[in-house]
Amino acid sequence: MNESLSPNGASKDNDVSKDIVWHEDTVTREHREVNLDQRGCVVWFTGLSGCGKSTIANELDRLLIEHGAASTLLDGDNVRHGLCAPPAVLAVEHGDEFATRFGLGFSAIDREENIRRIGAVTTLMASAGLITLAAFVSPYRRDRDRVRKMVETSGQEGDFFEVFVDTPIEVCQQRDPKGLYKKAIAGEIKNFTGISDPYEAPEKPEIHLTHREDATPTDQAKEIFDALLRCGVISH
């Protein structure tokens, strides 16, 4: 890792606050990875709502655990209950002023902060040697690229695996497990990706999962699992 950078990619010498100092750990990332017999990394699932991100990520998590790997999974809906909670959730415990300042909705700038927070967390987890799975719509290419930079600055190039779950919007609408597309089309949900907000597909994802009727989530998870084996993230 470049010693002039902190793991989030910011310069240690040009921080806004000189009172915030980066402390190197006594136990290094290399120590943790040797102890776990794996390489810490982030597997980032992106795609439209209903494309299958969470289902495939959960299957991959299961395959990794069964293999003896140390993995963890961050899911888009789950983090909205805590780390990236909307104002209405925060207001209950913290009041309106706090909720307005720190709660996240679904505007472009809120989505940017949502992914920034998650990116920081996944970077810390990968630095601890964990295979970190993240399943988020993450519609903007710039935000995903920023997470890649954070992860690879903390470790090395190749520690970030972008997985594009490329399911046609027509299929996602047919599935619509939470009824979100129906609400978005009816105008009941604003800033909904694919309907009233854009989705910027990855240009060069490490893994591109195209929609196939004969491919199960386990099949697709196995494809990613095999890629992690080939890259040396996990051993045979």
Side-chain angles (χ1 to χ4, degrees), residues 18 25 32 109 111 115 184:
K18 296 299 182 181
D25 295 334
R32 299 180 192 280
I109 196 168
R111 287 176 183 269
I115 299 304

Side-chain angles (χ1 to χ4, degrees), residues 110-182:
D110 283 0
R111 287 176 183 269
E112 180 179 342
E113 173 60 10
N114 181 55
I115 299 304
R116 188 199 67 81
R117 292 183 192 179
I118 296 157
V121 171
T122 59
T123 298
L124 290 171
M125 289 180 169
S127 297
L130 295 176
I131 299 170
T132 308
L133 315 182
F136 298 88
V137 173
S138 46
Y140 306 128
R141 195 173 296 125
R142 181 183 66 177
D143 294 339
R144 298 193 304 266
D145 288 344
R146 284 171 172 164
V147 176
R148 179 188 293 275
K149 182 179 179 181
M150 274 195 282
V151 172
E152 294 188 341
T153 298
S154 174
Q156 62 183 337
E157 185 176 352
D159 283 349
F160 183 88
F161 297 82
E162 189 173 39
V163 179
F164 178 26
V165 185
D166 189 4
T167 305
I169 191 169
E170 296 78 15
V171 176
C172 296
Q173 288 176 321
Q174 289 170 6
R175 293 174 177 172
D176 204 10
K178 294 176 282 188
L180 299 179
Y181 282 99
K182 290 180 180 179

Side-chain angles (χ1 to χ4, degrees), residues 198-217:
Y199 177 76
E200 298 173 359
E203 295 178 328
K204 294 181 180 179
E206 278 69 23
I207 300 172
H208 189 167
L209 298 178
T210 56
H211 176 68
R212 298 195 341 257
E213 292 293 344
D214 62 337
T216 67

Side-chain angles (χ1 to χ4, degrees), residues 1 27-42 68-70 122-132 151-152 154-161 231-235:
M1 183 176 71
V27 179
T28 66
R29 176 175 183 154
E30 290 72 21
H31 290 142
R32 299 180 192 280
E33 291 178 330
V34 168
N35 190 51
L36 292 169
D37 190 26
Q38 63 183 42
R39 196 175 94 226
C41 70
V42 173
T122 59
T123 298
L124 290 171
M125 289 180 169
S127 297
L130 295 176
I131 299 170
T132 308
V151 172
E152 294 188 341
S154 174
Q156 62 183 337
E157 185 176 352
D159 283 349
F160 183 88
F161 297 82
C231 293
V233 169
I234 49 177
S235 56

Side-chain angles (χ1 to χ4, degrees), residues 65-99:
I65 293 298
E66 289 179 352
H67 187 71
S71 62
T72 190
L73 171 60
L74 295 175
D75 180 80
D77 280 347
N78 292 350
V79 300
R80 286 285 185 170
H81 284 81
L83 177 67
C84 301
V89 172
L90 293 181
V92 175
E93 292 289 337
H94 300 278
D96 291 339
E97 182 180 357
F98 184 96

